[in-house]
Amino acid sequence: MTGTLSKAVRMVAILNLGYFGIEFAVAVWIGSVSLFADSIDFLEDASVNLLIMVALGWTIRNRARLGMALAAILLIPALATLWTAWEKFNIPIPPAPIPLTLTAAGAILVNLSCALILARYRHHSGSLTRAAFLSARNDVLANVSIIAAGLATAFVWNSAWPDIIIGLAIAVMNADAAREVFTAARREFAQSRISS
């Protein structure tokens, strides 16, 4: 199982790294808080999956320690989004809705592929693979929300607020995923101390 899991997380890391570049470029081009947040999340997902690949042969205790560190990494997109949203408050220009929506649609395809690749491993290697699966699953939900923000900006409310609101919601979702991973890792660490 470890060999196939290693291949799965490597593929997920490559997909995330590739789409990070695309989404980050579009986010900067159109000035989108939500795409910026999601692009940073793609970079974080690539890092998490590479770390998982490295740690697969480690002891349960060391994997739990890494799981706690990954929880901190999961907070990085949330903090970066808060900073970007703050900047957008000062210059509230709405992002171009068509590139916003199309880029989010592409992100859904990538994230859905990653979630499907990781789904069968989400209970293997404890908090590490749980972190990767939760992140991919949450990203699909975030991308649907970004599409909704693009459609709202195009047809309902030509404002920066739909994008800002979704960007902040993504930050909250990342923070909650970090909490779940930290809790699982702490539980694993406690169990490893009892069993040793």
Side-chain angles (χ1 to χ4, degrees):
M1 179 76 105
T2 302
T4 57
L5 175 57
S6 180
K7 288 178 186 174
V9 294
R10 183 171 50 240
M11 175 57 71
V12 169
I14 290 167
L15 288 169
N16 278 284
L17 192 58
Y19 209 76
F20 155 73
I22 294 167
E23 199 168 44
F24 184 80
V26 175
V28 170
W29 172 47
I30 67 172
S32 170
V33 174
S34 60
L35 280 185
F36 176 81
D38 201 51
S39 72
I40 297 301
D41 193 53
F42 269 111
L43 183 60
E44 169 260 323
D45 288 350
S47 303
V48 165
N49 281 284
L50 288 173
L51 286 172
I52 290 169
M53 194 171 67
V54 169
L56 281 175
W58 293 3
T59 65
I60 293 172
R61 183 177 289 182
N62 287 335
R63 285 196 315 256
R65 285 183 180 134
L66 181 60
M68 288 185 260
L70 289 178
I73 291 172
L74 287 169
L75 288 175
I76 293 170
L79 297 174
T81 301
L82 291 176
W83 177 256
T84 305
W86 175 252
E87 290 182 336
K88 194 71 169 181
F89 287 137
N90 297 321
I91 308 170
I93 300 168
I98 293 174
L100 176 68
T101 304
L102 292 177
T103 305
I108 283 178
L109 294 176
V110 173
N111 283 317
L112 191 56
S113 298
C114 293
L116 291 173
I117 290 169
L118 294 170
R120 65 184 284 207
Y121 303 105
R122 68 182 177 271
H123 300 297
H124 183 71
S125 296
S127 61
L128 296 180
T129 51
R130 182 157 181 78
F133 173 73
L134 283 174
S135 192
R137 182 202 67 188
N138 288 350
D139 292 345
V140 172
L141 299 173
N143 298 141
V144 170
S145 300
I146 294 170
I147 289 173
L151 294 173
T153 302
F155 300 110
V156 179
W157 188 18
N158 188 20
S159 165
W161 284 105
D163 181 58
I164 292 171
I165 291 167
I166 296 304
L168 292 174
I170 292 170
V172 169
M173 195 164 43
N174 285 331
D176 186 58
R179 181 195 58 77
E180 282 189 52
V181 170
F182 183 80
T183 302
R186 195 172 62 181
R187 188 168 47 246
E188 283 174 7
F189 187 74
Q191 288 171 349
S192 74
R193 291 178 70 183
I194 291 168
S195 62
S196 62

